[in-house]
Amino acid sequence: MAELSSSNLNADAIPKTNGTHVDEDRAQQNGDGIESTKETSPELVFRITVHLPHQPYQIPVVVSTQEQVQDFRQSIIEQPDTFQYSCFHLEHQGERINDFVEVSEIKGLKSGSEVRLLEDPYTEKDARAHVLRTRELIGAASDRTDTIHGVCAGLSLHDSVTASASSDKIILNGGKNPSLTSQNPVAGYDLDSSPQLQTIIPSQVEHPTNTVKSLSVSPWNPPPHHLRQKGHLLYLLLTTNEGEQFQITSHVSGFFVNKSTNARFDPFPKAAPKAASAHSLLSLIDRLSISFASNFRKLQEHNGRRDPLMNFPVTHALPSNPWLVSPIESALATHESDLSRTQEAYLATGLENAETLRDWNEDFQVAKELPKENIQERVFRERYTTKLFADYADAAVRGAVIVARGEVSPMNANEGPDAHIFVYNNIFYSFGADGAEIFTSQGSDEAARVAVGKDVVGVKLVNQLDIDGLHTPGTVIVDYLGKRIVCQSIVPGIFKQRENGESQVDYGAVEGRDTIVENEAFVPTFSQLSKNLRVKKHDVWDKDGKKHTLEGSLETKGLLGTDGRKYVLDLYRLTPLDIHWLEEYWTDASSDQGKEKERNYPHRMAVLRPEIVETFWRFKLAEYAQEEMDQGKAAKAIIGKVDSDDASNGVEIKAPSSESKDTPVTETSKKQETVDISNFALAFNPDVFSGQTPQTEEEKLELARDEEQVRSICRYLRERAIPEMIRDLQEGDAGFPMDGHALAKLMHKRGINVRYLGQVAKLTSTKTSRLEALGVLATQEMIARAFKHIAHRHLKNVPPPVATSCLAHLLNCLLGTGLNNSPRANIDEDMQSLYLEADWSFAEITPASLSQEIQDQVYLRYRFELPKGWENGLKHLQLLREICLKLGIQLIAKDYRFTTATSHINDSPVMNGVHHDSNGHGNGKKKKKKLGDHEHAHQSTDSLVNTILHTFEPDDIVNLFPIVKDSCPRSLLADEALEAGRLSIAQGQKELGQELLIESLSLHEQIYGILHPEVARVYHQLAVQYYQLDEKAIAVDLARKSVIVSERTLGVDCNETVLAYLNLGIFEHGTGNSALALAYVKHAIDLWKLIYGLKHPDSITTINNAAVMLQNLKLFHDSRVWFEKCLEICEEVSEKNSVNSATLCFQLAQALALDGEPKAAVSRMREAYSIFLAQLGPQDRNTKESESWLEQLTQNAVSMAKQAKDIQARRLRRIQLTPRISLGGTRPQPQVGQSVADVSGMGRDRASSGALDSRSVDELIKFIEGGGESAKRRTPTRKNPKRRGGAGKTSAAIA
């Protein structure tokens, strides 16, 4: 029986199942925080035999001494021969094995031991779990409609893209010349074609074989009391493919067919010959249905064709939701009848639904208090914490969605809507609005909304620091239907009414800042927190002028819970205010200046980011160290002149002993030049500029010094951090962002707040053309964010059924004016009459009013004036994507017409991987295909385009999903192992480095689960690392995993997914699979068009890599076309006379020579030489190389012309060019903000692209004529270090 899909498996057990184990002895200290594990017992992996009660009666299983027995159990039931078991226990040497211990604790268990599996009686919980598992195994579980997961959540296109590489072989050129087209997936591809929405739509997959018609809970369920006493647990209803219906009783002893019918209740066993019973429901179905076994085998084969990573459930993170969905997935016809869909909640949680209620806060605090003395304890602690945060986020978001939809009653119904609070599923909910009027003087609702966003960042930061004795509540923020909802675990005692005179908090400010409470019990933990956050211990004053000394911000509160734990709350002011911004742009609305346009910033919560505080601290530390070193050198210079009188006067200068000037500086002497930084102290007062009133002159001077320190950070942010980021992007020293999300992430990483987008856009307008892309991106991001704020304001006050009408109208006013410049809102009059108190003002919005409001919002929030006529320069699809991702909109993928002149992008909405003429292919014949129902429907829609009045209709919006921000910390242990591996490799310890990298990957998979954004990133980083180590087969496998996990957790069109596809293509090319590599690169370029457009600074490298691949396939003419496009974009993005353009001219000249164009080759080489000479000088290696090529090309022009006919006749014999001819060959592309040197593993030269080809023209001619060295050098490979157990037919996986 083929292997089953693993979608039903417990993800907690996946990372350490059968062969994927952590070798703890490999983790060494190595100077990077990896603890030694010598005190722990070494891991032993061995094989044992498990005896079964049914066929095949025994199976071999590989176990590890360091895995849990639960993982051992999971590895047993994953095997095809043991699918049927779920309720059992294990025995060894006649003794029952405890399921909750490590394998190493089983007495006498060793290699060759025998373990016996014995079936246990069922409980109701066991029976329900067994039914759910069986439904998953046999494919009887239909698609679920989830409130927090959108349509096609966790989608991956990898298999579709890979399959397209083979399908393109048939399509291209009508299949007339398979020998050529089969090797060129990009034949006829038009780089200038329009972006296609179908790029991110999955292909229509074959539906799996049905094994049964239905399996559900019977209407006779639950058993009556007297039968429950006899062991009856559940009643089930099975309908086989043969059409027979069976009523089944779930009994403590197993499952049997009973005598009940739809009209008569008789749950006792049927008599022979129709009697049937089994301990497993799977075995019982096999006995009742003749076709079940064969269909079940086909189902396993179908599942086996998919990558296992596409089958695993996303359990440790929220799956990504695509902003475009296929009409197939969204059509009403796909919603099939399934009675058991409504019963799954009962099967999962029971009749009382009590199993889902958890004390979340206690779970969080217990997780924090778990021991962490050794590697095993740290792994278990971090793994449990990650899973707990994921479970909490899932539960919190589900509650937030129904709170936003008004389906939960508030605890304080008599107060205003913004002040309502809720408790649901033991989670406390409140709105991110100023319902309690706490932020009235700081911006009211705007300030409250920002504060809760800063709070979740602060909680995440404190969780990351992991300070013993300091606890935080579980915190999640959800944006849904225009409302920001704060979800927090309930801190014990937070609702307790204290006695008269006692404040509600135990440390910090109470009731605004009028009352300040001190508590010595909080000082040690808050002191440790402040030290890590660079917060200064400082004085504050209450309303009576009384001085208090606090370790943290005035707003940060300490609460002593009734459980005796110390909690820290309200972490939105961990850093100082950005006072320069506030002094420039904000004034209290009650003041006379509050209405001025220049001083109308919406809130006073403009605080500095923790990253800029840390960066500035390190900057000042470097200055201090340099000063100390300079002073030390000066002391050495004068030490001989210092007499004893100076010492007696208290002057004592000590310098390290050193050799004479003639003595070479050794490593030892270098180490002596160390700087003692123990005297360096720099911390910041977060409460300056917050209305503090010092009483004495000394206090005033101290506060003034604190204020100047904060001003120095603000100056550093504006004068150094922002210009440095722009300079790095301008010079190509860092990966260029593709979309607004990547740009914001890059800014945050550098400590730059998003409010400085306007300044970024202004600075780029005066720079080179390369930065025009950054300016366009920043402007588009400001417009999208302004639209988001406007949409939130309207969505907040409209009923949920009208949200799609509101959004469709707003989108028409922004993006649909080219089709209809006077759009009208599509409002159902019946809805309007139902919701009389709703706000219907969105219907009055016009394109002109929305344009003005966006313009005002951009200036209000970012201090940037949009240019006149900015509406006419929008990139419609790219802006639409940004808006959908920010608001959680899922649209039907169709041809959205933004202007009357818009042509059909694609008349037939084909799925991903099957491209027609207009989808990038200019000269291929269109493949005939029978249209499905959805395609006929789509064509009929297109045929009515002349009657469509609006670009967007409410029905185009399929779903609105919540946007979530959580506070889950990263794994320190996994990051330490990764960094230790990199350091070891950098130090030349390749073998140790590789072992540590494997260890890091295993830790990532164990702690985060297989499907998690952090695991995708480590796959990506390790793939690049292994590629540089010439382990190309392993690099390909890791890169493929990175693509799939990125798609499922980050998004099918996320910028990180694009980079993952590009690097997968490069690595496939490195192993000789250039045709498949080109298919991946083509898909990445299609994504690039959709995200930004083709003319992006980093797209030059991508197109160049594709051209190199085409050269390796001996497709020299196609390669030349791609090089020409690459040069065209480079001249537009990086200027015509740049070194990059010269390098590409050099490259193109070689391509022209290969393509038999000697005159054009000479012209391009002359152009390259001229630029190199002007930019780099006559002595530069690149200048000399291009001059040599130019001379030889000129001298050989006549002979090459004579040989043209001969070359043309032997064109097919041309040898491929090695990668070093083309810009250093293919190279991995850096992630956004990552330096090029980090990716390439070496310093970046002035051409940003690697060295030019060092061979002469004569050698190149020999290659052209087939006389050169043509044998391919085989890449040495080794087997992957580990294989995942139960992978079946899949390739080996790095673990």
Side-chain angles (χ1 to χ4, degrees):
M1 186 180 294
E3 185 185 350
L4 180 72
S5 159
S6 302
S7 61
N8 58 290
L9 302 182
N10 181 2
D12 285 342
I14 290 171
K16 291 181 65 176
T17 298
N18 244 2
T20 305
H21 306 284
V22 182
D23 188 349
E24 308 296 353
D25 290 327
R26 292 172 183 156
Q28 303 294 331
Q29 177 67 29
N30 201 30
D32 253 336
I34 302 299
E35 300 177 3
S36 174
T37 57
K38 292 181 180 179
E39 74 276 5
T40 63
S41 59
E43 177 187 29
L44 297 177
V45 180
F46 51 87
R47 186 183 299 271
I48 63 173
T49 300
V50 178
H51 291 274
L52 307 172
H54 308 291
Q55 287 186 346
Y57 299 113
Q58 67 178 37
I59 57 171
V61 177
V62 176
V63 297
S64 163
T65 55
Q66 292 181 358
E67 70 181 0
Q68 301 289 321
V69 173
Q70 288 281 4
D71 299 329
F72 175 30
R73 287 172 56 96
Q74 191 69 29
S75 64
I76 294 175
I77 65 175
E78 284 177 3
Q79 302 190 31
D81 292 326
T82 53
F83 280 151
Q84 67 201 64
Y85 302 106
S86 68
C87 186
F88 61 90
H89 73 271
L90 301 173
E91 289 186 359
H92 176 58
Q93 296 178 348
E95 295 185 6
R96 181 169 182 149
I97 297 175
N98 188 342
D99 292 339
F100 303 99
V101 299
E102 281 192 354
V103 171
S104 59
E105 297 180 41
I106 303 175
K107 186 177 180 180
L109 189 69
K110 58 185 179 180
S111 178
S113 294
E114 296 184 351
V115 172
R116 188 169 302 278
L117 183 151
L118 294 133
E119 295 171 333
D120 284 340
Y122 288 94
T123 64
E124 183 189 334
K125 182 178 179 180
D126 294 333
R128 288 188 278 107
H130 184 80
V131 173
L132 280 175
R133 172 176 163 79
T134 302
R135 280 172 49 79
E136 295 281 357
L137 283 171
I138 67 176
S142 61
D143 292 335
R144 303 174 181 89
T145 301
D146 203 308
T147 55
I148 67 170
H149 301 152
V151 182
C152 298
L155 173 69
S156 175
L157 301 175
H158 173 266
D159 284 3
S160 297
V161 176
T162 305
S164 73
S166 58
S167 65
D168 282 340
K169 297 177 185 180
I170 304 172
I171 294 173
L172 298 178
N173 292 340
K176 292 180 180 178
N177 194 346
S179 63
L180 291 179
T181 58
S182 63
Q183 295 297 315
N184 186 7
V186 297
Y189 183 80
D190 183 6
L191 285 166
D192 293 319
S193 63
S194 301
Q196 302 297 306
L197 299 184
Q198 283 72 29
T199 301
I200 59 175
I201 301 301
S203 59
Q204 189 171 359
V205 296
E206 176 188 358
H207 289 289
T209 304
N210 291 328
T211 56
V212 297
K213 287 188 176 180
S214 69
L215 174 62
S216 61
V217 177
S218 169
W220 298 113
N221 202 69
H225 294 289
H226 68 286
L227 293 178
R228 186 177 293 274
Q229 298 301 320
K230 295 181 180 293
H232 289 211
L233 304 174
L234 300 171
Y235 299 130
L236 306 175
L237 183 62
L238 169 70
T239 305
T240 66
N241 282 345
E242 292 79 15
E244 291 187 85
Q245 191 177 81
F246 296 93
Q247 298 274 352
I248 298 174
T249 296
S250 171
H251 191 264
V252 292
S253 61
F255 298 83
F256 58 82
V257 178
N258 63 39
K259 295 184 284 187
S260 295
T261 65
N262 290 334
R264 181 172 60 88
F265 179 60
D266 188 355
F268 295 100
K270 268 191 175 182
K274 294 187 177 182
S277 65
H279 187 269
S280 168
L281 181 58
L282 194 67
S283 301
L284 179 61
I285 297 174
D286 188 25
R287 297 176 188 177
L288 297 176
S289 174
I290 299 174
S291 63
F292 177 78
S294 61
N295 289 334
F296 188 56
R297 191 178 303 109
K298 292 177 183 177
L299 176 64
Q300 308 316 306
E301 294 170 355
H302 174 272
N303 292 332
R305 289 194 291 268
R306 303 183 68 197
D307 191 289
L309 288 175
M310 298 178 67
N311 293 328
F312 291 150
V314 184
T315 58
H316 286 62
L318 292 175
S320 66
N321 295 300
W323 64 280
L324 285 173
V325 296
S326 167
I328 295 178
E329 300 293 340
S330 57
L332 186 62
T334 62
H335 190 64
E336 299 174 353
S337 173
D338 183 9
L339 178 63
S340 56
R341 186 188 293 117
T342 59
Q343 302 168 346
E344 285 192 347
Y346 159 70
L347 290 172
T349 62
L351 194 61
E352 304 300 328
N353 200 32
E355 295 174 18
T356 60
L357 295 178
R358 297 172 62 175
D359 187 343
W360 293 106
N361 190 76
E362 183 65 19
D363 287 350
F364 277 119
Q365 311 322 323
V366 167
K368 181 176 178 61
E369 293 166 351
L370 286 172
K372 48 182 177 180
E373 299 301 321
N374 54 47
I375 293 290
Q376 289 96 330
E377 289 179 349
R378 291 182 67 185
V379 169
F380 178 80
R381 181 176 184 264
E382 293 188 357
R383 176 181 175 181
Y384 178 78
T385 300
T386 303
K387 185 64 169 68
L388 176 60
F389 270 97
D391 291 344
Y392 175 74
D394 185 271
V397 176
R398 292 183 190 280
V401 167
I402 61 175
V403 165
R405 300 182 73 90
E407 298 172 15
V408 179
S409 299
M411 297 174 64
N412 53 344
N414 293 330
E415 298 186 28
D418 288 344
H420 283 170
I421 57 176
F422 310 82
V423 173
Y424 181 81
N425 196 10
N426 283 341
I427 300 174
F428 175 72
Y429 296 92
S430 60
F431 291 115
D434 193 24
E437 299 183 353
I438 297 174
F439 298 95
T440 304
S441 62
Q442 301 184 60
S444 194
D445 286 349
E446 287 278 2
R449 187 180 184 93
V450 173
V452 296
K454 298 291 183 185
D455 182 55
V456 74
V457 174
V459 172
K460 187 171 187 175
L461 193 57
V462 174
N463 289 340
Q464 190 68 56
L465 293 174
D466 196 18
I467 298 171
D468 292 336
L470 189 62
H471 299 263
T472 59
T475 307
V476 169
I477 285 181
V478 178
D479 289 330
Y480 184 65
L481 292 178
K483 302 177 181 69
R484 172 159 287 187
I485 301 165
V486 187
C487 321
Q488 294 175 304
S489 61
I490 302 174
V491 176
I494 196 169
F495 294 127
K496 180 182 178 182
Q497 293 296 326
R498 303 201 178 187
E499 297 179 2
N500 293 335
E502 290 190 16
S503 60
Q504 286 297 106
V505 297
D506 298 287
Y507 193 80
V510 188
E511 298 175 0
R513 300 180 182 183
D514 294 342
T515 305
I516 300 173
V517 182
E518 296 181 72
N519 189 329
E520 288 299 321
F522 283 86
V523 171
T525 52
F526 270 57
S527 175
Q528 192 174 353
L529 174 64
S530 298
K531 182 180 178 181
N532 284 280
L533 297 177
R534 318 300 180 194
V535 173
K536 178 182 178 180
K537 183 177 182 180
H538 59 283
D539 298 331
V540 292
W541 295 265
D542 59 21
K543 64 178 180 179
D544 298 325
K546 182 180 177 181
K547 184 174 75 172
H548 303 267
T549 302
L550 295 180
E551 292 286 348
S553 167
L554 189 64
E555 305 290 350
T556 304
K557 300 173 178 58
L559 175 69
L560 186 62
T562 54
D563 57 358
R565 298 184 178 105
K566 301 181 185 70
Y567 292 88
V568 58
L569 308 173
D570 293 348
L571 296 168
Y572 54 83
R573 279 292 305 276
L574 295 177
T575 55
L577 292 169
D578 186 354
I579 190 59
H580 284 181
W581 181 275
L582 292 175
E583 288 179 343
E584 200 170 343
Y585 302 123
W586 183 86
T587 302
D588 192 343
S590 61
S591 69
D592 295 336
Q593 297 176 317
K595 296 181 181 179
E596 293 181 10
K597 183 179 180 182
E598 297 300 325
R599 306 289 298 277
N600 64 344
Y601 194 67
H603 59 82
R604 200 176 186 271
M605 292 300 300
V607 298
L608 297 169
R609 292 191 62 83
E611 295 90 344
I612 197 66
V613 174
E614 183 66 21
T615 301
F616 182 75
W617 186 87
R618 293 178 180 275
F619 171 73
K620 299 302 288 186
L621 175 62
E623 281 188 345
Y624 172 83
Q626 187 61 48
E627 290 174 1
E628 291 293 307
M629 291 179 67
D630 292 343
Q631 290 177 5
K633 292 177 182 177
K636 290 179 186 179
I638 65 173
I639 191 169
K641 298 180 181 180
V642 178
D643 54 24
S644 58
D645 293 337
D646 293 323
S648 64
N649 292 330
V651 179
E652 182 180 14
I653 300 178
K654 293 184 178 180
S657 60
S658 60
E659 304 295 333
S660 65
K661 294 181 180 179
D662 297 332
T663 304
V665 179
T666 63
E667 289 297 323
T668 304
S669 63
K670 285 182 180 179
K671 291 180 181 178
Q672 290 176 348
E673 295 182 6
T674 58
V675 176
D676 181 11
I677 63 171
S678 60
N679 294 324
F680 175 76
L682 179 63
F684 307 96
N685 183 350
D687 292 320
V688 295
F689 307 110
S690 299
Q692 294 303 310
T693 55
Q695 304 299 307
T696 66
E697 289 300 322
E698 184 180 352
E699 292 170 354
K700 291 178 181 178
L701 288 174
E702 182 68 19
L703 185 62
R705 286 192 291 268
D706 291 347
E707 289 178 347
E708 180 54 33
Q709 280 188 335
V710 171
R711 289 186 183 276
S712 64
I713 306 183
C714 298
R715 286 193 295 269
Y716 180 88
L717 170 61
R718 292 191 175 196
E719 298 170 7
R720 191 179 184 99
I722 297 176
E724 276 188 356
M725 182 191 75
I726 293 176
R727 183 172 63 252
D728 288 346
L729 292 175
Q730 178 181 355
E731 296 177 358
D733 288 334
F736 210 96
M738 295 183 194
D739 59 2
H741 174 75
L743 175 58
K745 187 177 179 180
L746 172 61
M747 293 175 66
H748 287 166
K749 185 177 180 180
R750 303 235 178 177
I752 304 169
N753 303 83
V754 173
R755 60 176 171 270
Y756 284 101
L757 273 171
Q759 185 170 346
V760 170
K762 291 175 185 176
L763 290 175
T764 58
S765 63
T766 59
K767 302 291 182 180
T768 62
S769 55
R770 174 179 170 85
L771 287 180
E772 288 182 6
L774 182 62
V776 169
L777 199 56
T779 303
Q780 177 177 281
E781 179 68 1
M782 288 187 284
I783 294 171
R785 286 175 176 265
F787 181 89
K788 178 190 73 173
H789 286 290
I790 295 168
H792 278 164
R793 189 176 71 248
H794 289 286
L795 285 173
K796 182 180 178 181
N797 299 313
V798 301
V802 188
T804 56
S805 296
C806 175
L807 286 171
H809 181 63
L810 292 175
L811 289 173
N812 283 326
C813 290
L814 177 64
L815 300 173
T817 55
L819 182 66
N820 183 348
N821 58 11
S822 299
R824 298 180 62 181
N826 186 343
I827 299 176
D828 189 337
E829 294 181 359
D830 292 336
M831 286 288 182
Q832 203 163 5
S833 62
L834 281 174
Y835 297 98
L836 297 176
E837 297 180 359
D839 182 7
W840 301 91
S841 59
F842 71 87
E844 301 172 4
I845 295 177
T846 64
S849 65
L850 180 62
S851 174
Q852 184 60 49
E853 192 169 2
I854 289 176
Q855 197 167 327
D856 293 343
Q857 286 287 324
V858 167
Y859 186 82
L860 174 70
R861 299 177 185 278
Y862 311 107
R863 300 295 143 172
F864 183 76
E865 291 275 6
L866 290 175
K868 187 177 181 180
W870 61 269
E871 309 93 331
N872 302 322
L874 296 177
K875 296 194 291 186
H876 293 90
L877 274 180
Q878 288 78 11
L879 182 56
L880 175 62
R881 173 182 175 273
E882 294 282 3
I883 290 172
C884 289
L885 292 177
K886 285 176 171 55
L887 291 172
I889 300 173
Q890 288 189 302
L891 294 171
I892 289 179
K894 71 175 188 180
D895 180 13
Y896 290 103
R897 302 176 64 85
F898 299 105
T899 65
T900 55
T902 302
S903 61
H904 289 287
I905 293 177
N906 199 345
D907 288 336
S908 296
V910 295
M911 299 301 110
N912 179 274
V914 185
H915 299 284
H916 293 288
D917 293 350
S918 58
N919 192 11
H921 294 286
N923 55 8
K925 288 191 177 181
K926 197 168 184 179
K927 182 182 176 183
K928 294 183 179 180
K929 176 182 174 183
K930 184 177 180 180
L931 299 178
D933 294 338
H934 73 283
E935 294 171 334
H936 283 298
H938 190 61
Q939 281 193 332
S940 64
T941 302
D942 286 341
S943 66
L944 298 175
V945 71
N946 293 327
T947 64
I948 293 178
L949 298 178
H950 302 104
T951 303
F952 301 95
E953 297 292 339
D955 288 345
D956 293 334
I957 301 175
V958 178
N959 182 46
L960 296 175
F961 59 87
I963 306 298
V964 183
K965 297 179 183 177
D966 63 25
S967 55
C968 180
R970 289 166 55 91
S971 167
L972 292 175
L973 181 61
D975 289 346
E976 287 168 3
L978 179 62
E979 191 60 33
R982 288 173 174 168
L983 182 61
S984 297
I985 291 174
Q987 293 174 345
Q989 303 177 41
K990 179 179 176 181
E991 184 175 349
L992 174 61
Q994 286 182 297
E995 295 297 325
L996 286 170
L997 292 179
I998 296 170
E999 183 74 16
S1000 169
L1001 181 55
S1002 179
L1003 289 171
H1004 273 84
E1005 290 182 334
Q1006 285 186 81
I1007 292 168
Y1008 293 114
I1010 302 295
L1011 297 173
H1012 193 280
E1014 292 301 326
V1015 177
R1017 294 180 183 113
V1018 79
Y1019 279 148
H1020 179 91
Q1021 295 169 31
L1022 293 187
V1024 175
Q1025 197 78 56
Y1026 274 104
Y1027 188 74
Q1028 293 168 354
L1029 294 172
D1030 207 26
E1031 299 282 1
K1032 296 180 179 178
I1034 300 176
V1036 167
D1037 191 59
L1038 287 170
R1040 177 183 56 80
K1041 292 176 181 293
S1042 174
V1043 164
I1044 298 175
V1045 179
S1046 294
E1047 285 184 322
R1048 299 199 63 194
T1049 60
L1050 295 170
V1052 291
D1053 59 346
C1054 174
N1055 64 292
E1056 293 183 47
T1057 302
V1058 176
L1059 293 177
Y1061 265 113
L1062 291 173
N1063 283 342
L1064 176 58
I1066 292 170
F1067 303 157
E1068 286 283 7
H1069 167 71
T1071 59
N1073 298 326
S1074 295
L1076 182 58
L1078 282 169
Y1080 292 136
V1081 171
K1082 181 181 71 171
H1083 179 68
I1085 291 175
D1086 284 336
L1087 289 175
W1088 216 318
K1089 291 179 181 179
L1090 193 62
I1091 296 172
Y1092 177 86
L1094 190 62
K1095 295 181 179 179
H1096 184 276
D1098 283 354
S1099 66
I1100 299 170
T1101 303
T1102 300
I1103 299 173
N1104 175 78
N1105 288 340
V1108 173
M1109 296 173 191
L1110 288 167
Q1111 282 185 341
N1112 277 15
L1113 292 173
K1114 304 179 184 179
L1115 301 170
F1116 299 121
H1117 181 72
D1118 290 339
S1119 174
R1120 162 194 167 178
V1121 172
W1122 282 65
F1123 277 128
E1124 288 174 341
K1125 186 63 180 179
C1126 187
L1127 177 60
E1128 176 189 332
I1129 297 175
C1130 184
E1131 290 178 343
E1132 184 172 341
V1133 171
S1134 300
E1135 297 184 349
K1136 188 170 183 179
N1137 293 324
S1138 66
V1139 175
N1140 283 340
S1141 296
T1143 309
L1144 283 168
C1145 282
F1146 186 100
Q1147 170 76 24
L1148 179 57
Q1150 293 178 326
L1152 288 166
L1154 285 175
D1155 200 29
E1157 298 285 349
K1159 293 182 180 180
V1162 171
S1163 175
R1164 285 296 184 182
M1165 190 60 69
R1166 183 179 293 111
E1167 187 178 345
Y1169 170 71
S1170 300
I1171 298 174
F1172 281 139
L1173 182 63
Q1175 298 290 336
L1176 305 178
Q1179 301 304 317
D1180 186 84
R1181 180 175 59 86
N1182 290 329
T1183 306
K1184 292 180 179 180
E1185 192 69 37
S1186 59
E1187 183 181 20
S1188 173
W1189 270 84
L1190 179 59
E1191 290 175 356
Q1192 294 180 67
L1193 279 174
T1194 304
Q1195 293 171 2
N1196 293 325
V1198 176
S1199 61
M1200 290 179 70
K1202 292 179 180 178
Q1203 296 174 6
K1205 291 184 179 180
D1206 184 45
I1207 294 173
Q1208 184 68 23
R1210 292 177 299 193
R1211 200 175 186 88
L1212 295 178
R1213 292 174 47 216
R1214 289 180 182 175
I1215 192 65
Q1216 62 185 18
L1217 287 178
T1218 61
R1220 66 192 182 117
I1221 284 184
S1222 53
L1223 292 176
T1226 57
R1227 58 189 177 95
Q1229 296 197 210
Q1231 292 180 318
V1232 175
Q1234 185 182 13
S1235 67
V1236 176
D1238 290 342
V1239 175
S1240 63
M1242 61 188 72
R1244 177 180 165 273
D1245 70 4
R1246 298 165 77 175
S1248 303
S1249 305
L1252 300 178
D1253 197 318
S1254 60
R1255 290 176 294 179
S1256 67
V1257 176
D1258 292 336
E1259 291 174 313
L1260 181 63
I1261 296 301
K1262 289 181 181 180
F1263 271 94
I1264 296 173
E1265 295 178 344
E1269 183 182 345
S1270 60
K1272 283 190 178 180
R1273 186 165 57 108
R1274 294 183 63 86
T1275 303
T1277 59
R1278 67 182 178 92
K1279 293 183 179 180
N1280 288 344
K1282 295 186 178 181
R1283 295 183 65 91
R1284 179 164 312 287
K1289 299 179 181 179
T1290 61
S1291 60
I1294 297 292

